[in-house]
Amino acid sequence: RRVHGGLQIPVAMPDERSRAALGLLAERVTELVRTLHGRRRAVIGITGAGAAGKSVFSAQLARVLRQGWGLATQVLSIDGYHLPNATLQERGLAAVKGRPHTYDCGAFVADLTAVRCEPPTFMRLPLYSRPLHEPVAEALALEAATQVLIVEGLFLLHDADGYEAVRPLIDLALHLDVPDERAHERIIARKV
C-alpha cells in the first residue's frame, strides 16, 4: 500500500517475509542511488506510530544496504531535534514532550536541506540519548562518503507545524504499520 507517495510496510511480518521486503526495498534504494550518480545523498524516511519499530527497522535496513549492497549508509533520528529538557520546562512543554512543537523543526529542515547538498560534505548532526533523555548536539558524524541517509521519526510526513517542508527533502518515504496493541505494549516496556 502507498502512503503519501511512499510505501507502507507491515512490521509484524514473519522473518522470511521481512527479509524479502528489506531486500526489495534495498533494490529500490540502490536504484535511487544509481540515478543520483553520486551528486548527492539519497534520503530515505522511515515513519510510523510511536513504538512502531522505526529505529530497529532503520538499523536493519542500514545493515542490509551496507553489507548486502555495499552502500555507505547512516541513520539519523528526528529525536535528536527534541528541544532540550530545560527549554521544554521554561516553555511549560515538558508534559507534552514528543509532540510536534517540542522539536526544533527549523533546525531539522535546515540540516536535511544541507544533507542533500551537491556534492555531499562532512556534517555533524544531533543524536538523542535515551539514557539522558536529551538531544546531544553534533554527536553524529555524517561522512562525505555516505551515499544513503535513513531518517527515522514520527513527523516526517506531518503536514503542519513546519514539517510540511520535510517531505520534499525525502526521496523515498516508508510508513511502518504495527497493531496499536503491540505499539502500546512497547511504549509501556520502554517506560518500565
Side-chain angles (χ1 to χ4, degrees), residues 3-8 44-46 157 167 170-175:
V3 175
H4 299 286
L7 302 173
Q8 184 159 345
I44 310 304
I46 308 294
L157 303 178
R167 180 60 185 102
I170 296 174
D171 297 302
L172 175 64
L174 294 94
H175 181 272

Side-chain angles (χ1 to χ4, degrees), residues 123-188:
M123 296 177 64
R124 288 249 177 224
L125 301 168
L127 289 178
Y128 187 77
S129 168
R130 288 210 186 270
L132 298 175
H133 299 284
E134 284 280 4
V136 180
E138 299 185 351
L140 174 65
L142 183 64
E143 301 298 331
T146 298
Q147 298 166 283
V148 179
L149 180 64
I150 300 170
V151 181
E152 64 93 358
L154 289 171
F155 305 113
L156 302 183
L157 303 178
H158 192 60
D159 60 1
D161 303 313
Y163 293 93
E164 59 277 5
V166 172
R167 180 60 185 102
L169 301 173
I170 296 174
D171 297 302
L172 175 64
L174 294 94
H175 181 272
L176 302 183
D177 193 14
V178 65
D180 290 341
E181 311 80 50
R182 187 158 181 204
H184 185 71
E185 289 168 6
R186 290 176 178 172
I187 289 171
I188 291 171

Side-chain angles (χ1 to χ4, degrees), residues 29-192:
V29 171
T30 300
E31 268 307 306
L32 174 62
V33 169
R34 278 193 204 121
T35 66
L36 295 173
H37 303 289
R39 290 187 318 270
R40 69 168 177 82
R41 296 176 183 98
V43 180
I44 310 304
I46 308 294
T47 190
K54 297 177 293 297
S55 298
V56 171
F57 186 86
S58 296
Q60 290 173 340
L61 178 58
R63 189 184 73 248
V64 167
L65 290 171
R66 281 190 299 264
Q67 295 175 359
W69 297 85
L71 295 175
T73 304
Q74 290 184 260
V75 178
L76 173 68
S77 174
I78 194 174
D79 288 349
Y81 295 86
H82 270 291
L83 294 174
N85 289 332
T87 302
L88 294 174
Q89 288 288 349
E90 288 168 12
R91 297 181 185 177
L93 298 172
V96 294
K97 182 176 182 177
R99 295 207 178 143
H101 58 285
T102 65
Y103 291 81
D104 187 345
C105 182
F108 183 58
V109 169
D111 283 350
L112 277 185
T113 301
V115 159
R116 293 172 55 96
C117 74
E118 296 181 21
T121 59
F122 175 83
M123 296 177 64
R124 288 249 177 224
L125 301 168
L127 289 178
Y128 187 77
S129 168
R130 288 210 186 270
L132 298 175
H133 299 284
E134 284 280 4
V136 180
E138 299 185 351
L140 174 65
L142 183 64
E143 301 298 331
T146 298
Q147 298 166 283
V148 179
L149 180 64
I150 300 170
V151 181
E152 64 93 358
L154 289 171
F155 305 113
L156 302 183
L157 303 178
H158 192 60
D159 60 1
D161 303 313
Y163 293 93
E164 59 277 5
V166 172
R167 180 60 185 102
L169 301 173
I170 296 174
D171 297 302
L172 175 64
L174 294 94
H175 181 272
L176 302 183
D177 193 14
V178 65
D180 290 341
E181 311 80 50
R182 187 158 181 204
H184 185 71
E185 289 168 6
R186 290 176 178 172
I187 289 171
I188 291 171
R190 275 186 191 169
K191 301 206 185 265
V192 175

